[in-house]
Amino acid sequence: MEQSFLAWLRGRQRDLPQVAVGIGDDAAILDWPSSRQLVTSVDTIVDGVDFLLDKHSLASIGHKALAVNLSDMAAMAADPVAVLVAISLPNQQATQVAAGIYEGILATAAEFGVAISGGDITVYDGPLAISITIIGQAAPQKAWLRSGAEPDDAVLVSGSLGGSILQKHLAFTPRVRLAQQLRDSFTIHAAIDISDGLLLDLDRLCAASGCGIELQLDQIPISDDAKTLSLQDGGDPLEHALGDGEDYELILTCPAEQAADILAADLGTPLTQIGVLTSRTGLWSKLPNKLIRLSPRGFVHGG
Amino acid sequence: MEQSFLAWLRGRQRDLPQVAVGIGDDAAILDWPSSRQLVTSVDTIVDGVDFLLDKHSLASIGHKALAVNLSDMAAMAADPVAVLVAISLPNQQATQVAAGIYEGILATAAEFGVAISGGDITVYDGPLAISITIIGQAAPQKAWLRSGAEPDDAVLVSGSLGGSILQKHLAFTPRVRLAQQLRDSFTIHAAIDISDGLLLDLDRLCAASGCGIELQLDQIPISDDAKTLSLQDGGDPLEHALGDGEDYELILTCPAEQAADILAADLGTPLTQIGVLTSRTGLWSKLPNKLIRLSPRGFVHGG
């Protein structure tokens, strides 16, 4: 199956300037811009954990498999260049499933100008699993790290949070363009994408930077889905916004004096300041007269 | 599990000059040499198809997962730089299995100076599957393609062929160093690694180059394992050498006038001329007075 499938895939991609030799040989070849670093990561999504094959559309599953990787590029402020896709397919209707997933991958890849530079298909006795490696590029020392944050930085978050399980986890827009705009016009000290929940990922960023954070809980942007989910489960919308995984929004830190300019800029995606970094470590809720320590919660997904 | 596992993995790698930021952030960052193309591919190996978890050692499975990818770099004459490893683990003893596999990956990565720049671990209800993406580099227009062969080229093969299933498929040495030596000292027109069998992969190279081949069947280097396997199954050692998959040797074509020099060079790996390319397409066995057409056979593994 693989040879004919790769031929089909070759025919479905438009030419991209970075591709010197496309898929079909023992490896693909990309032209690499001079003086650029390579930024790379890998993420796997699996049926029953990250999506439900018997419920979600194949194209939406393909979109998610690619979008979680694009979100990592956004968190680094890297420009995505190419992806390699390894799909493990259950025996039933394997070709049909693979084609449906690739429809979603191809559409999202085209939207972000990303080449599909490798494809491996395995048919096996196991659940559908899609593992994508993404390759991006960045100017030297310009990629955002989790470790670059400094005390007194303003902490911003994109979009609104919580309740992603209702639909957003399959249909989110990775914040690649937002990151590119911010990188090109402002100083961002540190960033991380929210994959496991706001508090948990904030805790990771703070730990990597040796900082703590004073959060203003009344400023957390709560999504409509967090409110809907709370009506269903009797929970608190704020708890969903703080703890739910798979928002795939960006947490960003910037010099305090730049926050107002960033928040006033027309970036196409809402940004909200949710707190300030401190030299005192830990997560703290800042109330008028006191600080309350928060524990990093959040759902650690994907094992 | 993933966070602590990645911390363990970080501690197990020595510093490599190409790594600017190792695993642990949203993505890893590599320094990229100026004026170099990027060569990349992905391969997955799965329990029950490519190895047997209840029979083969975990380290040998890890070695194979990486070595099949290194073999692709050898086939392109690319220098391997980094790999990203996605492992899907069955629920039982997941941490132990992952650690054992990584022992094999780490040893082979160290041997070839390859950085592990990404790791994703999924625990699921399915068979052990290891998907590795490899990133290599090559001087512009210097990578070997399947499509570069020309009529009258000599066709060489490394090592000896057949019977890989007995042991070599798990324990082979990817021909990275051989490829680097040949690339640096000689003109090679085209190359492919033997993953699905000599005839089948020869047919792919010929098809990509618009050539055919006149094979000298009495020159095919038959491995001892092909002979052993023939004693066991009553088959013909030559058939094993022609058709068995997973030799992971290189098929190379070069200008006829250069073949003698290459064959006389001290490269540390035996090379044998097995035929000559022709403008007549197809695979042909050259006998004293006639040509007999061969059909590409070979075992197409991994789906």
Side-chain angles (χ1 to χ4, degrees):
Chain A
M1 180 170 107
E2 196 165 333
Q3 297 289 320
S4 59
F5 200 86
L6 290 181
W8 171 82
L9 183 56
R10 254 196 319 274
R12 287 295 308 274
Q13 288 198 78
R14 65 164 195 265
D15 290 338
L16 287 168
Q18 66 266 40
V19 179
V21 176
I23 50 176
D25 210 302
D26 289 294
I29 305 180
L30 301 171
D31 289 324
W32 199 257
S34 63
S35 303
R36 289 276 161 166
Q37 289 184 312
L38 184 153
V39 184
T40 185
S41 67
V42 58
D43 259 309
T44 305
I45 66 172
V46 177
D47 185 22
V49 180
D50 303 289
F51 60 85
L52 300 171
L53 180 55
D54 58 8
K55 182 175 165 194
H56 300 131
S57 79
L58 294 173
S60 72
I61 295 167
H63 167 78
K64 179 172 184 175
L66 178 50
V68 297
N69 283 281
L70 288 166
S71 184
D72 285 324
M73 293 296 102
M76 306 291 288
D79 298 321
V81 173
V83 290
L84 297 95
V85 180
I87 305 186
S88 297
L89 287 163
N91 297 309
Q92 304 80 14
Q93 302 183 292
T95 308
Q96 225 172 301
V97 171
I101 287 165
Y102 261 107
E103 292 298 342
I105 294 175
L106 283 161
T108 302
E111 189 184 335
F112 287 90
V114 178
I116 299 173
S117 294
D120 190 63
I121 292 181
T122 307
V123 179
Y124 77 152
D125 184 22
L128 174 60
I130 310 168
S131 185
I132 294 188
T133 295
I134 193 160
I135 295 169
Q137 51 114 332
Q141 277 76 52
K142 293 295 183 192
W144 298 339
L145 302 181
R146 297 177 181 181
S147 56
E150 297 176 15
D152 301 324
D153 274 3
V155 179
L156 313 181
V157 70
S158 65
S160 60
L161 307 179
S164 168
I165 190 70
L166 289 184
Q167 54 184 31
K168 187 181 172 190
H169 77 105
L170 274 174
F172 68 94
T173 300
R175 298 304 187 189
V176 172
R177 295 215 173 91
L178 174 66
Q180 290 165 333
Q181 289 172 285
L182 288 169
R183 174 197 69 195
D184 293 343
S185 303
F186 299 99
T187 299
I188 301 294
H189 280 164
I192 188 171
D193 70 329
I194 305 177
S195 54
D196 293 326
L198 174 64
L199 289 184
L200 193 54
D201 287 311
L202 260 179
D203 191 56
R204 286 178 182 148
L205 183 145
C206 287
S209 294
C211 293
I213 182 170
E214 291 179 6
L215 272 171
Q216 294 209 275
L217 293 184
D218 57 352
Q219 295 298 310
I220 305 291
I222 299 171
S223 73
D224 289 343
D225 279 342
K227 294 167 192 161
T228 304
L229 199 54
S230 295
L231 290 176
Q232 291 174 12
D233 66 11
D236 178 351
L238 178 62
E239 292 288 326
H240 280 296
L242 293 174
D244 287 357
E246 303 208 278
D247 282 314
Y248 298 108
E249 297 292 350
L250 294 181
I251 300 170
L252 303 154
T253 88
C254 69
E257 64 275 14
Q258 198 167 107
D261 286 347
I262 293 177
L263 293 170
D266 180 16
L267 298 164
T269 304
L271 287 171
T272 310
Q273 180 167 352
I274 59 170
V276 174
L277 293 186
T278 60
S279 52
R280 178 213 310 255
T281 58
L283 307 176
W284 303 87
S285 162
K286 187 173 170 64
L287 299 176
N289 298 312
K290 57 179 174 177
L291 287 174
I292 296 173
R293 184 146 195 173
L294 304 171
S295 79
R297 279 156 294 190
F299 168 60
V300 181
H301 74 276
Chain B
M1 180 170 109
E2 193 165 333
Q3 297 290 321
S4 58
F5 200 86
L6 290 181
W8 171 82
L9 182 56
R10 255 197 316 275
R12 287 294 308 274
Q13 288 197 78
R14 67 164 194 263
D15 290 339
L16 288 168
Q18 67 266 39
V19 179
V21 176
I23 51 175
D25 209 301
D26 288 295
I29 304 180
L30 301 171
D31 289 324
W32 199 258
S34 63
S35 303
R36 289 277 162 166
Q37 289 183 312
L38 184 152
V39 184
T40 186
S41 67
V42 58
D43 259 310
T44 304
I45 67 171
V46 176
D47 185 22
V49 181
D50 304 289
F51 60 87
L52 300 171
L53 180 55
D54 58 8
K55 183 175 164 195
H56 300 131
S57 79
L58 293 173
S60 72
I61 294 167
H63 167 78
K64 179 172 183 175
L66 178 50
V68 296
N69 282 282
L70 288 166
S71 185
D72 284 323
M73 292 296 103
M76 305 292 287
D79 298 322
V81 173
V83 290
L84 296 96
V85 180
I87 304 186
S88 297
L89 288 163
N91 297 309
Q92 302 80 15
Q93 302 181 292
T95 308
Q96 226 173 303
V97 171
I101 287 165
Y102 261 108
E103 293 298 342
I105 293 175
L106 282 162
T108 302
E111 189 184 336
F112 287 90
V114 178
I116 299 174
S117 294
D120 190 63
I121 292 181
T122 307
V123 179
Y124 78 151
D125 184 22
L128 174 60
I130 309 168
S131 185
I132 293 187
T133 294
I134 193 161
I135 294 170
Q137 51 113 331
Q141 278 76 54
K142 292 296 182 191
W144 297 339
L145 303 180
R146 297 177 182 181
S147 56
E150 296 175 16
D152 301 325
D153 274 3
V155 180
L156 313 181
V157 70
S158 65
S160 61
L161 307 178
S164 168
I165 191 70
L166 289 185
Q167 54 185 33
K168 187 181 171 189
H169 77 105
L170 275 174
F172 67 94
T173 300
R175 299 304 187 190
V176 172
R177 295 217 172 89
L178 174 67
Q180 289 166 333
Q181 289 172 284
L182 288 168
R183 174 197 68 196
D184 293 343
S185 303
F186 300 99
T187 299
I188 301 294
H189 280 163
I192 188 171
D193 70 329
I194 305 178
S195 53
D196 293 326
L198 175 65
L199 288 184
L200 194 53
D201 288 311
L202 260 178
D203 191 56
R204 286 178 183 149
L205 184 145
C206 287
S209 294
C211 294
I213 182 170
E214 291 180 5
L215 273 171
Q216 295 209 275
L217 293 184
D218 57 352
Q219 295 299 309
I220 305 290
I222 299 171
S223 72
D224 288 342
D225 278 342
K227 293 167 193 161
T228 303
L229 198 56
S230 295
L231 290 177
Q232 291 175 12
D233 67 10
D236 178 348
L238 178 62
E239 292 288 328
H240 281 295
L242 294 173
D244 288 357
E246 303 206 278
D247 283 313
Y248 298 109
E249 297 292 350
L250 294 180
I251 300 170
L252 304 153
T253 89
C254 69
E257 65 275 14
Q258 198 166 107
D261 287 345
I262 293 178
L263 294 170
D266 180 15
L267 299 164
T269 304
L271 287 171
T272 311
Q273 180 167 353
I274 59 170
V276 173
L277 293 186
T278 60
S279 53
R280 179 214 310 253
T281 59
L283 307 176
W284 302 87
S285 162
K286 187 173 171 64
L287 298 175
N289 298 311
K290 57 179 175 179
L291 287 173
I292 296 172
R293 183 146 196 174
L294 303 170
S295 80
R297 280 157 292 189
F299 168 60
V300 180
H301 72 274

